[in-house]
Amino acid sequence: MTLVEVLIVLVLVGVVASFATLSVGRLQADESVGRRAETLAARLTIAAETAVATGRDAAFIWAPDGYRFVVYRDNDWQPHPVPELGQVERFGPSLDLGVDGTARGSLVIGANLAPPDPSPFRMTLNGGRTTRVDVLFNGVSARTTEVPR
């Protein structure tokens, strides 16, 4: 083999490796958006179940960079007593949350399991240009659906 042939093979291996690295990075980002959406759906369901069990309304508060849950107790909104719900869940710079084009807002989760208006309540997690996952909440439980781009 000549030196030129060896260099050509090394360049080809480098190009293939770089494409593989870029593909793996995109897959991890997609999985992260899906995982975050599933976590949000589970937390919405837990907040609804806790509201029914305690008889206290809860609220879901969102911003583009994250969300949290609060409960109405002692005539005021306070952090949710379930630690995973009461703390702010922040997103990285590559992920944002929106609700019908509204960057910030809140949704009351009634202890009577009344459906939100509009029902189902739709939130969208955007993971850049490649991934978008909707979280649908009907007042009782939440589920996710991946939206094709």
Side-chain angles (χ1 to χ4, degrees), residues 88-141:
V88 176
E89 178 72 17
R90 297 218 182 273
F91 299 136
S94 63
L95 184 65
D96 66 62
L97 173 67
V99 178
D100 294 329
T102 305
R104 298 179 183 280
S106 63
L107 170 71
V108 174
I109 302 168
N112 60 358
L113 295 181
D117 184 31
S119 184
F121 185 73
R122 180 184 307 267
M123 295 154 274
T124 303
L125 272 78
N126 289 302
R129 293 181 294 197
T130 60
T131 308
R132 178 178 157 197
V133 179
D134 283 353
V135 179
L136 304 169
F137 178 64
N138 63 9
V140 177
S141 64

Side-chain angles (χ1 to χ4, degrees), residues 41-125:
R43 288 179 176 175
L44 280 163
T45 301
I46 291 169
E49 291 172 353
T50 304
V52 170
T54 62
R56 293 190 177 121
D57 289 346
F60 168 68
I61 300 171
W62 75 88
D65 64 339
Y67 63 89
R68 67 186 173 115
F69 292 87
V70 294
V71 294
Y72 195 73
R73 184 174 55 218
D74 300 329
N75 297 324
D76 194 17
W77 290 102
Q78 299 178 8
H80 202 284
V82 175
E84 289 78 15
L85 301 180
Q87 65 188 13
V88 176
E89 178 72 17
R90 297 218 182 273
F91 299 136
S94 63
L95 184 65
D96 66 62
L97 173 67
V99 178
D100 294 329
T102 305
R104 298 179 183 280
S106 63
L107 170 71
V108 174
I109 302 168
N112 60 358
L113 295 181
D117 184 31
S119 184
F121 185 73
R122 180 184 307 267
M123 295 154 274
T124 303
L125 272 78

Side-chain angles (χ1 to χ4, degrees), residues 8-61:
I8 289 173
V9 169
L10 288 175
V11 167
L12 289 174
V13 168
V15 168
V16 170
S18 65
F19 281 129
T21 302
L22 291 174
S23 296
V24 168
R26 188 176 310 123
L27 287 175
Q28 289 175 346
D30 291 351
E31 290 172 4
S32 176
V33 174
R35 190 171 50 245
R36 293 287 187 119
E38 288 291 336
T39 300
L40 173 56
R43 288 179 176 175
L44 280 163
T45 301
I46 291 169
E49 291 172 353
T50 304
V52 170
T54 62
R56 293 190 177 121
D57 289 346
F60 168 68
I61 300 171

